């Protein structure tokens, strides 16, 4: 892994475009702010701002049904909120949802900053409990994780995720 914590927003956007994503559904947060800004300025990706994370799952499932390729960009707390929509619109319906989940609390936990954010604590156990395969995207060196996530979702027709532990860089 490189010494830089956090993946470049520009390189992440380039990878998203290379993989053919047509839409990104996002509820902006502090860790994904730079990626959100890059997405907002890009004319090739349609950025959709749902009101709740569960809504982003349902919209992504609808876009996929209509032949599009959406990516859901949410924080781990939103991932938790979206559980029922994910169960019903992703796993139950076998929709290959692609998720990029910001791991709120990761940086503080790695720095041993107390108290540990409970959102950090529950992220991996929830992914495992729901049977969602995931890869870590912690720096530019990890950008191939996006392709692994995308391929796995396609091959299994089930949700797959990358988890970003640090804020995106410029």
């Amino acid at each position: 892994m490189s010494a830089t914590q956090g993946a470049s927003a520009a390189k992440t956007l380039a990878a998203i475009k290379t993989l053919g994503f047509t839409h990104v559904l996002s509820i902006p947060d502090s860790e994904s702010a730079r990626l959100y800004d890059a997405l907002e300025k890009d004319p090739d990706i349609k950025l959709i701002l749902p009101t709740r994370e569960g809504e982003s799952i349902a919209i992504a499932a609808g876009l996929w049904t209509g032949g599009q390729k959406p990516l859901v960009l949410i924080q781990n707390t939103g991932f938790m909120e979206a559980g029922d929509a994910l169960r019903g619109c992703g796993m139950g319906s076998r929709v290959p949802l692609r998720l990029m989940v910001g791991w709120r609390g990761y940086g503080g936990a790695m720095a041993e900053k107390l108290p540990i954010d409970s959102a950090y604590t529950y992220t991996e156990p929830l992914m495992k409990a729901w049977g969602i395969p995931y890869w870590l995207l912690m720096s530019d060196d990890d950008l191939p994780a996006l392709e692994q996530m995308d391929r796995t979702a396609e091959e299994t027709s089930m949700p797959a995720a990358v988890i970003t532990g640090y804020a995106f860089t410029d």
Side-chain angles (χ1 to χ4, degrees):
M1 180 180 274
S2 73
T4 304
Q5 294 177 339
S8 157
K11 289 179 181 177
T12 302
L13 176 58
I16 289 168
K17 291 172 71 168
T18 297
L19 292 169
F21 287 100
T22 58
H23 298 75
V24 173
L25 296 99
S26 177
I27 296 178
D29 61 67
S30 57
E31 287 88 9
S32 66
R34 287 189 174 116
L35 180 57
Y36 172 83
D37 289 344
L39 287 161
E40 190 175 43
K41 294 173 187 168
D42 192 283
D44 299 326
I45 301 282
K46 174 90 171 135
L47 182 61
I48 298 174
L49 305 174
T51 57
R52 299 288 303 178
E53 289 84 352
E55 182 183 32
S56 68
I57 298 295
I59 294 169
L63 287 166
W64 177 80
T65 301
Q68 301 299 304
K69 188 174 178 183
L71 174 67
V72 177
L73 172 62
I74 56 177
Q75 197 175 54
N76 53 358
T77 53
F79 173 73
M80 294 171 200
E81 184 273 332
D84 189 48
L86 186 60
R87 178 201 54 79
C89 294
M91 293 183 279
S93 304
R94 297 193 61 89
V95 174
L97 296 171
R98 280 85 165 173
L99 310 169
M100 182 178 288
V101 179
W103 201 346
R104 192 184 94 194
Y106 181 86
M110 294 302 102
E112 299 181 4
K113 185 177 177 182
L114 297 176
I116 299 293
D117 187 329
S118 63
Y120 161 77
T121 306
Y122 296 127
T123 301
E124 281 186 303
L126 279 173
M127 288 280 179
K128 291 174 183 174
W130 289 340
I132 298 174
Y134 65 91
W135 293 263
L136 302 180
L137 175 56
M138 302 296 177
S139 72
D140 289 346
D141 293 343
D142 300 324
L143 284 169
L146 284 167
E147 184 178 355
Q148 290 176 303
M149 174 268 298
D150 181 48
R151 185 176 52 251
T152 299
E154 185 66 29
E155 290 172 354
T156 63
S157 196
M158 293 291 281
V162 293
I163 301 176
T164 61
Y166 296 103
F168 287 92
T169 64
D170 287 332

